[in-house]
Amino acid sequence: GAVVSQHPSWVICKSGTSVKIECRSLDFQATTMFWYRQFPKQSLMLMATSNEGSKATYEQGVEKDKFLINHASLTLSTLTVTSAHPEDSSFYICSARDPQGGGPYEQYFGPGTRLTVT
Amino acid sequence: GQNIDQPTEMTATEGAIVQINCTYQTSGFNGLFWYQQHAGEAPTFLSYNVLDGLEEKGRFSSFLSRSKGYSYLLLKELQMKDSASYLCARGSSASKIIFGSGTRLSIRP
C-alpha cells in the first residue's frame, strides 16, 4: 500500500513553454502533498505544501506565479512550471501524507520527474 | 541545507561499518529522519527517531541526542548496493520535512 505515482517520469521542453507534472496517491487519500526540487548532487529542497481544496503554501524564495500548484482532489496534485527556462531543469519529487498513517510525518514519495528545459 | 549539517562524501569498504553523523538546529524540532537515495531515484525511508537513544533495524541503526542536536546513521556489514546518498532530515512545523544536503557514500570492494 501507500503508493505515489508521478507523471511524466521525464520531460524535455523548450524554453518559454509550460510543463505540468502530476502527483497521484494511488491507494490512499492525501489531504496534503509536498513538492520538492533537487538539483544534481544536492539535496531535496521543499518548494511548497499543497493542501486539498485550498491554496498552496510556498517556501521562502519560491515564486508562486511561476510554480503553479493545484490540489483539486484528494488523490491528485499538479505542479505547473510556467515559462520554463534552462535553470528550471531539475528533478521534481512529490510526496503525499496519509492522514490515516502512523503520524504527522508519514509521507510517501513519488518516483520523481526529470525536467530538462532546452 | 537549512541548518542541518552532514559530511558531503564518505568512502568505506565492503563488509565494514560506517557511521554518518548529522547535526541540526534544535529549535522547532519534530523528530529526525534518515533516507537513502540512489542516483535518479526518489528517497526511501530508513528511520525516524523522536526519542533519545539508538534504534536498530537490521544492518542499519540510528541514534539521536536531542539535547546535543546530534544524530548518526550506522551501517553494518556494508554491501556494494549501499552506495548511495544518505539524507538526514528533521521534522518541522505543519508536517514538513526539511532535508540536509546529504552524504554520498561510496563502497569499495
Side-chain angles (χ1 to χ4, degrees):
Chain A
V3 178
V4 176
S5 70
Q6 281 184 241
H7 178 80
S9 55
W10 60 270
V11 58
I12 301 173
C13 72
K14 291 187 177 180
S15 186
T17 61
S18 295
V19 174
K20 180 186 285 189
I21 302 170
E22 295 184 347
C23 177
R24 293 182 186 271
S25 56
L26 299 185
D27 49 5
F28 65 98
Q29 294 184 326
T31 52
T32 303
M33 291 183 174
F34 301 90
W35 286 97
Y36 296 85
R37 180 169 54 181
Q38 185 175 33
F39 293 107
K41 296 190 177 181
Q42 295 186 25
S43 192
L44 281 74
M45 293 299 296
L46 179 65
M47 299 175 68
T49 303
S50 170
N51 298 298
E52 187 269 336
S54 65
K55 290 183 179 180
T57 305
Y58 291 81
E59 294 299 302
Q60 191 174 7
V62 178
E63 300 173 57
K64 61 181 181 181
D65 294 331
K66 180 172 180 63
F67 298 99
L68 302 179
I69 292 173
N70 185 282
H71 194 155
S73 78
L74 286 171
T75 59
L76 173 65
S77 175
T78 60
L79 168 68
T80 301
V81 183
T82 62
S83 187
H85 290 285
E87 56 265 31
D88 298 322
S89 298
S90 187
F91 192 46
Y92 291 86
I93 304 174
C94 74
S95 70
R97 191 170 88 79
D98 181 358
Q100 306 298 324
Y105 298 98
E106 192 85 18
Q107 292 184 26
Y108 302 93
F109 284 85
T113 297
R114 173 80 55 196
L115 170 63
T116 303
V117 184
T118 60
Chain B
Q2 304 223 24
N3 303 116
I4 299 173
D5 293 314
Q6 54 182 125
T8 304
E9 293 186 8
M10 296 183 72
T11 302
T13 305
E14 189 177 15
I17 298 173
V18 71
Q19 177 174 312
I20 303 174
N21 296 321
C22 171
T23 56
Y24 61 89
Q25 184 181 46
T26 55
S27 63
F29 175 74
N30 282 292
L32 197 291
F33 297 82
W34 284 97
Y35 286 83
Q36 180 192 62
Q37 186 180 28
H38 286 98
E41 299 179 11
T44 55
F45 171 83
L46 292 178
S47 65
Y48 176 46
N49 293 62
V50 178
L51 301 176
D52 291 349
L54 183 69
E55 292 195 10
E56 299 184 63
K57 267 189 203 177
R59 295 190 299 115
F60 292 5
S61 301
S62 57
F63 172 83
L64 177 67
S65 169
R66 289 173 294 172
S67 62
K68 295 181 180 178
Y70 168 69
S71 173
Y72 67 72
L73 179 69
L74 191 71
L75 292 78
K76 304 176 185 176
E77 301 169 16
L78 286 170
Q79 302 174 8
M80 297 304 291
K81 67 178 182 179
D82 296 330
S83 292
S85 287
Y86 290 86
L87 311 178
C88 175
R90 64 178 179 88
S92 183
S93 60
S95 301
K96 294 191 288 188
I97 298 176
I98 307 301
F99 286 85
S101 299
T103 298
R104 286 193 300 280
L105 176 64
S106 299
I107 309 299
R108 55 175 179 249

